[in-house]
Amino acid sequence: MSQCRWPSSPWPAHGGQAEALLAHFGLPADHRLEDFSANLNPLGPPAWVSDWLTKQLTGLERYPAPDYSTARQAIAAHHQVQPEQVLLTNGGAEAIFLAAAVHAGKRAAIITPSFGEYARACRAHRLTVTEIALPAPHFTLDIDALLAGLNDIDVLFLCRPNNPTATLIDISTMEALLDHSAATGCHVVVDEAFIDMVGEAPQQATLAPLLARYSHLTLLHSMTKFYTLPGLRLGYMLAASATIKAAEAYQPAWSVNHLAAELVAPLLKDDAFARRTQRWLASERPRVAQVLTELGLDVVPSQACFFLIRPSAAQEITTDALFEQLLRQGILVRHSHNFAGLNGEWLSGAARRTCQPAVS
Ligand SMILES: Cc1ncc(COP(=O)(O)O)c(C=O)c1O
């Protein structure tokens, strides 16, 4: 596939960051752009959130209760676990770093390509990292090969559904992995940041019910994706109470601000918003996949709100050229230059409400 025409350093490490890309391609800072690069729910935030936040502003004059008991109880009830199995975090990103901190200095494996913060968190906490690569173009997991490689590993990080491939390891495969890793003493950290965006039966997709059976399982959640609140920062960790205690020891006091913490319970109560999002995704996901395929692109089947695509072998355009063409047409997608295993050959784009991909 395509060769990267640029050294990897100018490519921003996360979605968005349009300014740097526009400057890089010599486009004016006010070039009109639709941002397809951040994997956020386009239906959010729920309409009531902004008035609700305004009413909570007086609470900014006090420190939040350090144990966040109201939010913890709401999350525990939502997942039918004990409040001691919940740690509220400043976004899923903080949960990732706390999960790595618990295993500081040990041996980690990361299933790649995946979100780069697992490797960064492992480096920050001095874990040695082995990458277990899912092969393109389907990025499916060979469970036997994975199990064979886990004997010398203390903690495995994986993401389901996975960012950026949008693939989902099914629950029976996860059970096989958890049975095996229990026997070898390997802790399993599963990032479920996009789990609420999974197809047919999202309530059955989370591994939360497995926490009762597997004390070496840690789940990481983001509430910023599904509720479209990336600027507010909200996430949590679910695990055995001993793991939560260990993670909590690394968390700065009052890490989650008052507005975010108070918002947890009302967000989780908003079933109508969740149902609307899941209905929209159920109809939009196949439609966008079909449009992208008809444009001649290779499309990895998606179980999330985003798609991993590349020009097919028949198309005479490199991935970088396609990225630039889209940018010039006002469409910002996510490059893959800093995703281990993708090497810039793929692009990722989120489903949007007005999704009309304009690839020629
Ligand atoms: C897989 C994954 N996990 C976690 C996060 C971090 O989410 P948050 O914004 O809640 O920190 C992201 C953000 O892009 C992500 O893609």
Side-chain angles (χ1 to χ4, degrees), residues 14 39 90-94 96 114-115 117-118 159 161-163 191 193-194 221-225 229-230 233-235:
H14 291 280
N39 299 328
N90 192 320
E94 188 187 38
I96 293 169
S114 200
F115 189 47
E117 292 298 294
Y118 314 131
C159 184
N162 186 33
N163 177 13
D191 185 349
F194 295 100
H221 278 241
S222 162
M223 293 181 77
T224 63
K225 305 287 182 194
L229 296 165
R233 320 297 305 130
L234 199 44

Side-chain angles (χ1 to χ4, degrees), residues 89-347:
T89 61
N90 192 320
E94 188 187 38
I96 293 169
F97 271 68
L98 294 176
V102 167
H103 301 283
K106 296 198 177 156
R107 299 159 301 181
I110 301 175
I111 297 185
T112 62
S114 200
F115 189 47
E117 292 298 294
Y118 314 131
R120 224 165 68 80
C122 286
R123 278 198 302 277
H125 292 287
R126 295 170 289 99
L127 284 95
T128 54
V129 172
T130 302
E131 283 179 5
I132 298 173
L134 302 176
H138 302 298
F139 302 101
T140 39
L141 176 69
D142 177 342
I143 183 67
D144 295 328
L146 172 65
L147 298 186
L150 282 188
N151 289 340
D152 297 328
I153 298 296
D154 300 306
V155 55
L156 171 69
F157 286 81
L158 66 92
C159 184
R160 71 180 286 281
N162 186 33
N163 177 13
T165 60
T167 50
L168 182 83
I169 303 172
D170 63 48
I171 290 194
S172 59
T173 304
M174 286 305 306
E175 285 175 323
L177 167 59
L178 287 160
D179 286 336
H180 179 93
S181 53
T184 64
C186 174
H187 203 104
V188 179
V189 177
V190 181
D191 185 349
E192 295 196 329
F194 295 100
I195 203 71
D196 293 328
M197 316 260 197
V198 166
E200 283 98 67
Q203 66 281 15
Q204 285 163 23
T206 172
L207 299 183
L210 299 190
L211 289 166
R213 272 160 58 199
Y214 299 107
S215 62
H216 64 306
L217 172 64
T218 295
L219 302 178
L220 312 179
H221 278 241
S222 162
M223 293 181 77
T224 63
K225 305 287 182 194
F226 191 70
Y227 296 102
T228 329
L229 296 165
L232 194 68
R233 320 297 305 130
L234 199 44
Y236 54 92
M237 175 187 285
L238 302 175
S241 56
T243 305
I244 293 296
K245 266 210 182 79
E248 204 169 9
Y250 291 95
Q251 188 179 37
W254 310 293
S255 184
V256 181
N257 71 72
H258 156 76
L259 296 177
E262 292 298 315
L263 195 50
V264 169
L267 284 177
L268 292 177
K269 243 194 243 149
D270 192 348
D271 289 336
F273 176 77
R275 275 199 306 276
R276 197 162 57 249
T277 298
Q278 276 137 12
R279 264 202 314 273
W280 174 79
L281 269 169
S283 71
E284 192 66 358
R285 194 168 18 226
R287 189 188 76 77
V288 176
Q290 190 182 346
V291 169
L292 294 169
T293 307
E294 284 169 8
L295 289 167
L297 298 164
D298 288 343
V299 184
V300 180
S302 171
Q303 298 271 13
C305 60
F306 50 89
F307 293 85
L308 191 65
I309 57 172
R310 68 177 179 186
S312 68
Q315 287 177 307
E316 301 210 332
I317 185 167
T318 65
T319 304
D320 283 346
L322 176 59
F323 179 93
E324 183 174 346
Q325 184 184 322
L326 289 169
L327 193 74
R328 290 186 185 282
Q329 289 178 17
I331 295 173
L332 176 61
V333 291
R334 173 78 164 84
H335 68 86
S336 64
H337 284 290
N338 37 25
F339 276 111
L342 294 184
N343 311 318
E345 292 174 9
W346 296 80
L347 299 173

